[in-house]
Amino acid sequence: MKALKFFSLLTLFVLFSLTSCSSEPLEDDLNAIEVPAVPQAKQIEIEIMELINAHRISIGLNALENHDTVKAVALTHTNYMIEEDNVSHDYFYLRKQSLQDNASAAVVTENVGYGFYTAQGVVTAWLNSPGHRANIEGDHTDFDVSAEQNLEGKWYFTNMFIKR
């Protein structure tokens, strides 16, 4: 588990290391950042995105596009929460900065969750929470979600939204 925590923190560090002491142009620094490979979407993740878009459309909002960089950043946080065995928004400012720098995000918000067994369950819980609902119904263009299970099979979720 310590190796997983180290890898997660290393990944965050690499994703968020955008300042340089060199005199090389910024483009060179951005090209040197390795964004983790984006895993194929799980069925539960697809269902979450479909439910969120169906809700948005039902109230007259635009459907959101899924975004690989958003998914990669969300995945690092989901893995972190599993490693820490704690649902949190820890280090949100780093995820926000990464999405501003790597996905041209002007606005970044996130929902997190734990312990739900279905897409409908977690989306319903978010919609019943004023803060989470505001994120779902916010003025965004793109989103993605990471859903991962811990060793006991409990699901952890990070759902991030951006406006470009």
Side-chain angles (χ1 to χ4, degrees), residues 38-49 66 68 71 144-148 155:
V38 180
Q40 184 173 352
K42 295 175 189 67
Q43 186 62 37
I44 194 168
E45 295 167 336
I46 294 167
E47 291 172 10
I48 289 168
M49 292 188 296
N66 63 309
D68 285 349
K71 183 169 188 64
D144 221 306
V145 63
S146 168
E148 299 293 330
W155 287 99

Side-chain angles (χ1 to χ4, degrees), residues 8-65:
S8 295
L9 291 175
L10 179 62
T11 301
L12 282 172
F13 176 77
V14 171
L15 273 173
F16 307 127
S17 299
L18 294 175
T19 57
S20 171
C21 296
S22 73
S23 60
E24 297 297 319
L26 183 58
E27 291 91 10
D28 291 342
D29 291 335
L30 291 175
N31 291 334
I33 295 171
E34 288 186 42
V35 176
V38 180
Q40 184 173 352
K42 295 175 189 67
Q43 186 62 37
I44 194 168
E45 295 167 336
I46 294 167
E47 291 172 10
I48 289 168
M49 292 188 296
E50 288 173 347
L51 288 166
I52 289 172
N53 271 336
H55 173 76
R56 288 178 60 87
I57 291 167
S58 77
I59 60 170
L61 298 174
N62 63 301
L64 302 175
E65 297 293 324

Side-chain angles (χ1 to χ4, degrees), residues 46-159:
I46 294 167
E47 291 172 10
I48 289 168
M49 292 188 296
E50 288 173 347
L51 288 166
I52 289 172
N53 271 336
H55 173 76
R56 288 178 60 87
I57 291 167
S58 77
I59 60 170
L61 298 174
N62 63 301
L64 302 175
E65 297 293 324
N66 63 309
H67 194 289
D68 285 349
T69 303
V70 174
K71 183 169 188 64
V73 172
L75 175 61
T76 64
H77 187 60
T78 303
N79 286 338
Y80 168 81
M81 291 190 301
I82 289 171
E83 179 65 29
E84 294 296 312
D85 192 24
N86 185 41
V87 178
S88 72
H89 294 284
D90 290 356
Y91 307 109
F92 173 73
Y93 68 95
L94 292 175
R95 292 185 297 288
K96 179 179 178 181
Q97 185 66 52
S98 178
L99 290 171
Q100 288 170 332
D101 294 340
N102 295 300
S104 302
V107 174
V108 179
T109 63
E110 79 178 3
N111 291 339
V112 296
Y114 162 78
F116 298 94
Y117 294 98
T118 66
Q120 186 66 60
V122 71
V123 172
T124 297
W126 286 334
L127 289 173
N128 287 331
S129 162
H132 294 102
R133 182 184 201 98
N135 290 340
I136 288 171
E137 296 176 356
D139 183 17
H140 301 106
T141 55
D142 305 272
F143 75 142
D144 221 306
V145 63
S146 168
E148 299 293 330
Q149 291 178 292
N150 68 7
L151 294 175
E152 292 80 39
K154 303 260 180 160
W155 287 99
Y156 285 75
F157 305 90
T158 304
N159 182 205

